[in-house]
Amino acid sequence: MANTIVRVGMASCGLASGADSVYEELSKVLVGDENTILKKVGCIGLCSYEPLVEVEIEGKRTIYGYMTPELAKELVGSSLQPTSVLKEKIIYSDEETRAPENNRMAKQVRIVLRNCGIIDPEKIDEAISRGAYEAFSKAVKEMSPDEVIDEVYRSGLRGRGGAGFPTGLKWKFTRQAKGEPKYVICNADEGDPGAFMDRSVLEGDPHAVIEGMAICAYAVGASHGYIYCRAEYPLAIKRLNIALDQARERGFLGDNVFGSGFNFDIEIKEGAGAFVCGEETALIASIEGKRGMPRPRPPFPAESGVWGKPTNINNVETYANVPWIIRHGASEFSRFGTEKSKGTKVFALAGKVAKGGLIEIPMGMPIREVIYDIGGGIADGKEIKAVQMGGPSGGCIPSWLLDTPVDYESITATGAIMGSGGMIVLDETSCVVDVAKFFLNFTQRESCGKCPFCRIGTKRMLEILERISNGEGKMEDLDLLYELALQVKEGSLCGLGQTAPNPVLTTLKYFREEYETHVKDKKCPAKVCPSLIRYTINTDLCIGCTRCARICPVGAISGKVKEPHEIDDAKCVRCGQCKQTCPVSAIFVD
């Protein structure tokens, strides 16, 4: 039996970094090695080091980052032991206590990500070897539907899609609702900029989600399920289809599951990339073949969902938690987290953080600990300014609130939201007006247009932000912006419109002085807004190479060879190409 396993991270992040060529080289050089198993796995989590290769010898793990085909060949040539060159590539090790990511991994609790980066997601036997479908079997054979719902309710699991509604309670409502047939839906329409949690779970451990849905179906009395996944996730969809076929072949889906008389199957519905379809009633409309637009609630989907029948909707992460809860028990799950926010939360840590990636932390961990102990602090030694949580529906939490614990109530109290799990770090070079404009531009474009508060209100708000960033803002614009934000929040029909003003409201609340600097002084402190900055040449440093003049697209730079150049501010379009190309860093932003 092989005692060595070599894993190559081949989720979207790994493949984009060249993991496929690393895997191809390893498959060549390991031909005939009966003592080593080579695996394609999902996201290992340490995305900033891709491509990643993990070597496990007799249970001891070592993860190498920034791998290349040449380094992979050297690794095999050294009998999978680190050479002097390879030692520099070690980012995690069970034996090298000083490996840079040891502390990062130790701080995490992997429940949702328990199999991601470990199993080959396209081989059901590997998932089964790690306990897949044991919980489903236990639920169907040993528990009544009400007992399953009670176990999930007592665990304290709340919906990980953003709203945080108690999962067990939602299941109970669906079970008690009148009408047949009933449905379960997995919302995998992950549309937040910078978010990749659901995609990584689907690519790395699709069976966890399928099993969670099957347990839910048994509990609520459903016979059919849908996974609504955006078409922009082709690898996730591919692996889901493989996993579904394998689950049917093994009898985990289909008729008379486990000989119990329970029938259940799942189909995939590919979304067309509309952000609004992350809202459950718009998602339901899309499944039914209609335009994805929200409808008023009540009735809620638990009472009237797909085709007007009782429907339970949870997101990817919520379902992935369920098998673990049924296997280990509600009390084991609830020992993680806080009084009202139990368990763990998966985050896509991104932005100006030193080491971004996919992480899973126990609820209640302070934001500061997430950024500095797990994320390695701020890139390039700069100062942190804020953390943007909750995507376009979230808000900016300033640096002086970094000790806020990661739980639903505490995050909401800051004006942000937990959301599905995006955590974007902003540093001193980030402009809050620009950040608010970016997210509002996104929600304005993604508005379905059904209600005027969202359709028109977000447009007017965006126009004000654009005036401010262009140096045309007035002080009364700030009050108007705030008033509009409140009206859009109060009057919009669905969650997209109701939360769209959050980035504006939080930045106005915590960084009003920066807004006022844009308006009063016509300056952008972060030197981001093009209309409020000017490029200047330091004549003491300029060597007159003419490179900047040659690259300028509007001819704004003049000067003789070997003599200092000048920039005509009236012509300059602030593209920044001159600064980027200057060999002596003589061009700076004023």
Side-chain angles (χ1 to χ4, degrees):
M1 182 178 179
N3 60 3
T4 301
I5 302 172
V6 178
R7 301 182 178 96
V8 182
M10 297 188 72
S12 292
C13 50
L15 291 170
S17 301
D20 49 351
S21 60
V22 173
Y23 180 86
E24 184 178 345
E25 184 63 31
L26 284 169
S27 63
K28 289 178 183 176
V29 295
L30 286 172
V31 169
D33 186 345
E34 297 180 356
N35 294 317
T36 304
I37 298 174
L38 177 63
K39 291 184 181 182
K40 297 179 181 180
V41 299
C43 182
I44 295 173
L46 305 171
C47 306
S48 58
Y49 296 97
E50 295 283 5
L52 294 163
V53 173
E54 178 183 303
V55 177
E56 181 180 329
I57 301 175
E58 296 181 349
K60 299 291 185 180
R61 300 165 60 215
T62 303
I63 301 176
Y64 298 88
Y66 308 123
M67 290 296 284
T68 64
E70 293 74 25
L71 287 172
K73 190 173 183 178
E74 180 175 338
L75 180 63
V76 175
S78 65
S79 301
L80 301 176
Q81 298 296 328
T83 63
S84 57
V85 173
L86 288 166
K87 278 188 176 181
E88 297 178 2
K89 303 296 182 182
I90 293 176
I91 57 174
Y92 173 85
S93 174
D94 288 338
E95 296 184 314
E96 295 278 346
T97 57
R98 294 185 181 181
E101 295 303 312
N102 280 21
N103 183 56
R104 174 179 182 168
M105 300 294 278
K107 289 272 184 178
Q108 299 185 50
V109 175
R110 295 170 77 86
I111 292 177
V112 174
L113 304 179
R114 57 193 177 272
N115 294 327
C116 291
I118 295 176
I119 66 168
D120 184 333
E122 297 183 13
K123 295 181 178 178
I124 192 171
D125 286 332
E126 292 202 12
I128 291 173
S129 72
R130 298 272 299 177
Y133 298 103
E134 287 182 9
F136 184 30
S137 175
K138 176 182 177 181
V140 172
K141 294 178 180 179
E142 302 175 22
M143 303 171 72
S144 69
D146 288 332
E147 287 174 333
V148 173
I149 292 173
D150 183 61
E151 191 75 12
V152 173
Y153 180 77
R154 288 190 297 106
S155 74
L157 176 65
R158 296 169 66 172
R160 297 300 195 248
F165 191 81
T167 303
L169 193 58
K170 181 183 278 192
W171 290 16
K172 183 178 181 180
F173 290 156
T174 308
R175 177 164 180 77
Q176 292 176 342
K178 295 179 181 179
E180 295 291 341
K182 295 179 179 180
Y183 297 91
V184 297
I185 295 175
C186 175
N187 183 349
D189 191 57
E190 183 177 54
D192 292 3
F196 49 88
M197 304 78 58
D198 292 351
R199 170 176 60 76
S200 298
V201 173
L202 292 174
E203 290 178 355
D205 189 14
H207 290 286
V209 180
I210 294 168
E211 183 178 11
M213 291 181 68
I215 292 170
C216 174
Y218 170 72
V220 304
S223 58
H224 196 81
Y226 294 96
I227 298 177
Y228 189 92
C229 185
R230 55 182 41 238
E232 295 93 330
Y233 285 176
L235 183 59
I237 292 171
K238 172 191 171 185
R239 290 179 176 171
L240 273 171
N241 276 314
I242 291 171
L244 287 170
D245 287 342
Q246 291 173 342
R248 294 185 189 106
E249 289 173 4
R250 298 298 178 92
F252 300 137
L253 294 176
D255 295 335
N256 196 27
V257 177
F258 298 122
S260 64
F262 171 60
N263 306 323
F264 179 67
D265 207 347
I266 297 172
E267 67 177 284
I268 296 173
K269 168 69 176 180
E270 295 185 31
F275 181 68
V276 72
C277 285
E279 195 277 337
E280 57 185 18
T281 61
L283 183 155
I284 288 170
S286 181
I287 288 177
E288 293 176 340
K290 304 171 186 174
R291 181 178 175 184
M293 299 179 77
R295 62 163 174 76
R297 296 176 301 175
F300 292 93
E303 181 182 349
S304 178
V306 180
W307 322 117
K309 301 300 182 181
T311 304
N312 182 84
I313 303 179
N314 289 120
N315 85 323
V316 168
E317 185 180 344
T318 309
Y319 282 124
N321 272 295
V322 171
W324 195 95
I325 291 170
I326 299 300
R327 283 186 68 198
H328 296 86
S331 59
E332 185 67 14
F333 182 83
S334 62
R335 74 183 182 89
F336 299 107
T338 64
E339 182 181 355
K340 294 182 178 180
S341 298
K342 301 296 186 183
T344 62
K345 183 72 189 77
V346 178
F347 283 100
L349 186 59
K352 300 300 179 68
V353 67
K355 300 298 179 184
L358 186 71
I359 65 172
E360 184 173 2
I361 62 168
M363 288 278 203
M365 179 179 286
I367 298 173
R368 186 185 306 277
E369 193 172 336
V370 177
I371 294 171
Y372 286 93
D373 290 0
I374 296 179
I378 309 306
D380 302 322
K382 291 185 167 58
E383 293 293 322
I384 187 170
K385 188 172 196 173
V387 178
Q388 207 282 339
M389 291 186 65
S393 304
C396 291
I397 302 172
S399 59
W400 59 90
L401 292 179
L402 288 184
D403 292 319
T404 301
V406 176
D407 65 62
Y408 288 98
E409 284 70 30
S410 299
I411 298 300
T412 301
T414 69
I417 62 172
M418 183 82 74
S420 59
M423 185 180 288
I424 301 175
V425 179
L426 311 177
D427 69 8
E428 60 198 77
T429 65
S430 304
C431 170
V432 295
V433 178
D434 187 64
V435 168
K437 187 172 67 173
F438 170 81
F439 283 112
L440 196 62
N441 182 58
F442 178 87
T443 49
Q444 195 275 323
R445 283 188 292 109
E446 293 293 335
S447 172
C448 75
K450 185 171 186 176
C451 58
F453 281 98
C454 180
R455 182 181 70 248
I456 303 172
T458 55
K459 178 65 175 175
R460 298 289 88 88
M461 289 173 66
L462 181 59
E463 289 170 351
I464 294 172
L465 287 172
E466 287 173 341
R467 288 204 302 269
I468 293 172
S469 64
N470 289 334
E472 302 165 355
K474 302 174 182 178
M475 284 303 294
E476 51 264 35
D477 282 337
L478 301 185
D479 294 331
L480 178 59
L481 185 62
Y482 180 75
E483 182 182 345
L484 274 171
L486 293 182
Q487 290 182 359
V488 172
K489 193 176 184 71
E490 299 261 339
S492 294
L493 174 63
C494 80
L496 185 148
Q498 292 163 6
T499 58
N502 283 349
V504 173
L505 289 170
T506 53
T507 51
L508 273 174
K509 178 180 179 180
Y510 297 119
F511 300 98
R512 188 178 180 91
E513 183 178 337
E514 190 166 330
Y515 275 88
E516 292 179 353
T517 301
H518 279 69
V519 174
K520 291 179 180 178
D521 303 332
K522 307 302 179 186
K523 287 187 175 181
C524 175
K527 300 178 180 179
V528 171
C529 299
S531 298
L532 302 182
I533 62 176
R534 59 191 299 266
Y535 285 88
T536 304
I537 296 178
N538 185 332
T539 56
D540 292 333
L541 294 177
C542 180
I543 58 176
C545 68
T546 74
R547 189 178 297 181
C548 59
R550 282 182 276 124
I551 202 172
C552 179
V554 292
I557 302 177
S558 60
K560 297 179 181 179
V561 178
K562 296 185 179 181
E563 291 183 11
H565 288 48
E566 292 182 349
I567 298 178
D568 186 338
D569 190 59
K571 289 184 178 180
C572 179
V573 292
R574 279 79 174 172
C575 66
Q577 293 185 55
C578 58
K579 185 176 185 297
Q580 295 169 17
T581 195
C582 181
V584 291
S585 301
I587 302 177
F588 62 96
V589 179
D590 186 10

